Amino acid sequence: MRAKLERDFDRFKRELPRDFPAHVRETYAIDLTARYLGAVVPHPIGKGSGQLSLNTGQLEDDAAAGLAFSVLKTVIAEDETGARAMAAWATHETKMKVERRAAATGREGWTVTWKGRGWDRPFDDYLALVRAGRDLTRAGRLLVVPSVKYHLPRLAEPFREGEYRYTTAQLADAWREPPLLVEKDFSPTLAGDALADDRAQILRWLREVPGRIRAASRIPVRVAVKLMNARFDDAFQVEMMNASTEADALVCFNRLFDAARGVAYGGGDLSDRNLNVLETQLTSHASAGTPGLTGTGNIGSGRMILEYARRGCESVQMHTFFQLPLSEYPATHGSRVQRALHALVFHPRDGLIAVMLERQARGELERQGGELRFLDLRAHAYHAG
């Protein structure tokens, strides 16, 4: 197996097979099947919402590369008049800057910095992008999911139902066939805003928003909530997860916020916090009825994917690792997404195949019907918890 993996790693530097999950299953008897928001996907690696998923060309490239899913840039909800309570988040993006960032432990990592927030173009343009994503999804080439920032009121204020109704109805009309999958974005910049100063206020949002999205649609909706890293302790992060029982899935967790610089950031500090919170939640609160989990934050190897999986995550979504300098990828040809997938899956020491074989050798993962299965990592995590 190791010899095969080293050969594949070397030959796929030049060209990654489009259907690499089928190759992995045939060659290594490893089933990479994963889930995001209840949808079955061929492997666990997807793209998080942001600057890399705001036009059809990017989606076509993702599909060609073999990515499992892509979450669209976050649109700001509006009512039928075009009014948006969260309009401050529809700011134009500055140029992204990819830079190294050391964690508190001294471990080197990467982060991407930019000062924009959500979608700043007309809503009709976003709906056109959703329709393009729908066609890719229907064709089985790439699961595409819209992302929305809906109105979040202060504790004593009502929700702006008009924004929920109009935005969700328009997305449902663009998608047409059920179910509509939607990711509700609690962006990292929200953590730096005075709106997120009140814990009770945040918990109210998490309890009520998923139901309001469902009620606003004429077709069934599955809602993923992308949780922010709030400016409170780890115990509150767990409390946020426990308050989100109405969500169908949780994306854990959005980037940290640097209040001094006014920017969100990733790197080792982010994964350290995320994994610690997931571990705490798993061992103290896990049950069969909890929403499906997707991990995000400082994912740059199959080994890190496994760290999220063994804490209950059914898939992962990434952004920074798709933007590194080309010299940082072992592959010599292909798009950044293809080069990233090559490293994440086939690296002979830290790729997903290698670490699953490693777990098998240590007796921590067993073959079922002759196969190792990615989703068994999650099942084992819940059993251990």
Side-chain angles (χ1 to χ4, degrees):
M1 286 291 190
R2 295 289 178 181
K4 287 180 183 178
L5 184 55
E6 288 180 3
R7 285 197 299 271
D8 278 349
F9 178 68
D10 186 60
R11 70 190 180 112
F12 293 157
K13 287 179 180 179
R14 293 173 290 279
E15 184 177 8
L16 183 71
R18 167 62 180 83
D19 193 3
F20 67 84
H23 172 82
V24 170
R25 194 165 193 170
E26 179 181 346
T27 306
Y28 304 96
I30 293 178
D31 181 3
L32 294 179
T33 299
R35 280 190 295 266
Y36 171 63
L37 238 183
V40 175
V41 288
H43 62 84
I45 304 164
K47 180 182 284 184
S49 173
Q51 286 296 90
L52 303 182
S53 50
L54 50 68
N55 61 59
T56 54
Q58 291 169 326
L59 298 181
E60 287 286 352
D61 289 346
D62 290 346
L67 201 63
F69 63 93
S70 185
V71 183
L72 298 180
K73 178 75 175 173
T74 300
V75 71
I76 311 304
E78 62 182 57
D79 64 19
E80 62 275 8
T81 71
R84 297 176 295 180
M86 309 294 282
W89 272 265
T91 55
H92 186 69
E93 306 288 349
T94 56
K95 183 176 174 60
M96 291 185 291
K97 182 179 181 182
V98 181
E99 53 192 347
R100 290 191 177 273
R101 183 174 180 120
T105 60
R107 187 170 76 256
E108 282 290 324
W110 291 92
T111 188
V112 176
T113 304
W114 72 96
K115 291 245 178 165
R117 290 174 167 182
W119 182 268
D120 64 338
R121 305 173 194 176
F123 188 32
D124 284 346
D125 291 355
Y126 193 82
L127 294 174
L129 184 61
V130 170
R131 287 190 287 271
R134 173 201 67 200
D135 293 343
L136 287 169
T137 302
R138 297 279 188 274
R141 297 179 59 206
L142 176 73
L143 175 66
V144 178
V145 178
S147 172
V148 188
K149 183 181 290 300
Y150 289 92
H151 174 234
L152 299 173
R154 297 195 180 277
L155 197 56
E157 296 175 348
F159 284 85
R160 294 199 181 183
E161 302 288 358
E163 293 189 11
Y164 281 79
R165 283 194 303 268
Y166 181 75
T167 299
T168 309
Q170 292 297 304
L171 292 173
D173 287 345
W175 198 259
R176 292 202 302 243
E177 297 177 20
L180 170 66
L181 306 186
V182 174
E183 187 170 288
K184 166 65 184 88
D185 181 24
F186 282 85
S187 70
T189 54
L190 179 64
D193 192 272
L195 194 60
D197 283 343
D198 190 313
R199 298 185 188 213
Q201 195 162 272
I202 295 172
L203 296 177
R204 178 200 177 195
W205 299 335
L206 296 174
R207 292 187 185 106
E208 296 189 29
V209 162
R212 292 179 183 278
I213 296 172
R214 289 193 196 94
S217 176
R218 63 173 182 80
I219 63 174
V221 181
R222 291 188 207 150
V223 181
V225 173
K226 189 169 188 178
L227 295 169
M228 64 182 171
N229 268 294
R231 288 173 295 156
F232 304 112
D233 58 16
D234 288 2
F236 184 68
Q237 290 298 116
V238 174
E239 194 173 352
M240 289 168 62
M241 294 182 72
N242 294 335
S244 304
T245 54
E246 292 301 310
D248 297 289
L250 301 179
V251 183
C252 305
F253 299 92
N254 222 323
R255 298 190 300 162
L256 300 167
F257 189 74
D258 185 332
R261 295 180 60 195
V263 296
Y265 67 95
D269 289 336
L270 175 58
S271 56
D272 287 348
R273 186 182 201 207
N274 289 359
L275 293 173
N276 181 62
V277 171
L278 286 168
E279 184 82 30
T280 302
Q281 197 273 348
L282 173 70
T283 56
S284 58
H285 299 283
S287 69
T290 55
L293 302 180
T294 290
T296 189
N298 191 38
I299 297 170
S301 68
R303 191 170 297 278
M304 184 61 82
I305 293 174
L306 183 134
E307 290 302 315
Y308 278 97
R310 62 177 289 269
R311 289 165 175 83
C313 294
E314 303 174 309
S315 56
V316 296
Q317 52 178 249
M318 301 148 44
H319 196 263
T320 298
F321 194 62
F322 295 132
Q323 300 178 74
L324 302 187
L326 291 179
S327 60
E328 295 296 317
Y329 302 108
T332 56
H333 295 75
S335 68
R336 278 182 169 80
V337 172
Q338 288 172 314
R339 296 180 193 218
L341 289 170
H342 166 260
L344 293 167
V345 177
F346 291 99
H347 193 284
R349 183 186 66 252
D350 293 321
L352 196 51
I353 296 170
V355 293
M356 289 182 70
L357 292 174
E358 184 182 292
R359 289 272 167 174
Q360 180 194 11
R362 297 209 306 248
E364 297 171 3
L365 186 63
E366 297 179 357
R367 291 186 179 270
Q368 305 292 332
E371 292 184 332
L372 294 178
R373 300 186 300 204
F374 174 79
L375 285 174
D376 283 347
L377 292 164
R378 175 180 181 271
H380 176 76
Y382 273 101
H383 177 72

